[in-house]
């Protein structure tokens, strides 16, 4: 009933289906278990886009997308500051937050502030965020009153 050509085609199809189950699904499960989401979680997440203005260790980002976070920004004269925004370097929160421009510029080491005009931050290792191959994010936490993130 089946020609030799038809049997060979069916055999190849069967082998391909078995290979799909044997190779693809375990590989997919392995990749999913090891996948790291590089986007921090929060109510509002804004990727800070290069190029940045850099002054000593201080990096300034005042892109239009940050307008989404302006309701939570501190006025530049606010003492103490209360903005709940957290700046992330890849998936790691920077800090301490609520610093002056002078402290960020001179000391760096992950310090940041969020003002109505944008954010000022420094890389965790004081490298230039324009060239250090890291991604920076401004995040309004899901619970903006929780600043432990």
């Amino acid at each position: 009933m089946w020609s030799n050509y038809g049997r060979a085609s069916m055999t190849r199809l069967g082998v391909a289906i078995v290979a799909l189950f044997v190779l693809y699904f375990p590989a997919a499960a392995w990749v999913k278990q090891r996948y790291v989401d590089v986007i921090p979680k929060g109510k509002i997440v804004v990727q800070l886009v290069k190029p940045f203005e850099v002054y000593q260790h201080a990096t300034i980002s005042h892109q239009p997308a940050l307008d989404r976070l302006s309701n939570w920004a501190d006025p530049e004269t606010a003492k103490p500051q209360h903005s709940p925004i957290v700046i992330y370097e890849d998936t790691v929160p920077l800090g301490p937050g609520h610093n002056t421009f002078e402290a960020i510029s001179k000391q760096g080491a992950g310090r940041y502030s969020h003002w109505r005009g944008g954010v000022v931050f420094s890389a965790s290792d004081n490298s230039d965020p324009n060239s250090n191959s890291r991604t920076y994010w401004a995040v309004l936490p899901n619970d903006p009153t929780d600043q432990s993130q």
Side-chain angles (χ1 to χ4, degrees):
M1 193 151 149
W2 289 91
S3 68
N4 285 341
Y5 179 74
R7 283 187 211 139
S9 294
M10 292 303 290
T11 302
R12 281 192 289 261
L13 178 61
V15 169
I17 291 171
V18 169
L20 178 68
F21 283 99
V22 170
L23 299 174
Y24 174 77
F25 291 113
W30 179 81
V31 168
K32 184 171 175 77
Q33 288 178 348
R34 282 149 184 79
Y35 174 73
V36 176
D37 191 359
V38 295
I39 301 174
K41 302 294 181 238
K43 186 179 280 188
I44 300 175
V45 179
V46 176
Q47 182 176 356
L48 303 179
V49 181
K50 301 171 187 176
F52 302 116
E53 295 176 46
V54 178
Y55 301 93
Q56 293 180 322
H57 299 306
T59 302
I60 301 172
S61 179
H62 45 78
Q63 63 199 48
L66 287 170
D67 291 346
R68 296 175 54 205
L69 302 172
S70 63
N71 289 342
W72 294 274
D74 289 320
E76 292 184 30
T77 58
K79 301 277 188 234
Q81 295 179 325
H82 297 287
S83 172
I85 302 305
V86 178
I87 305 300
Y88 282 77
E89 183 177 71
D90 292 328
T91 60
V92 179
L94 291 175
H98 308 302
N99 282 269
T100 64
F101 181 87
E102 182 179 9
I104 298 167
S105 177
K106 290 184 178 179
Q107 298 172 321
R111 288 172 172 74
Y112 68 89
S113 278
H114 173 230
W115 295 305
R116 293 197 202 286
V119 295
V120 178
F121 67 98
S122 60
S124 59
D125 62 356
N126 291 339
S127 61
D128 182 349
N130 287 309
S131 59
N132 68 10
S133 300
R134 297 182 206 137
T135 304
Y136 293 89
W137 308 87
V139 177
L140 175 65
N142 286 321
D143 179 3
T145 60
D146 179 14
Q147 295 191 16
S148 65
Q149 297 192 23

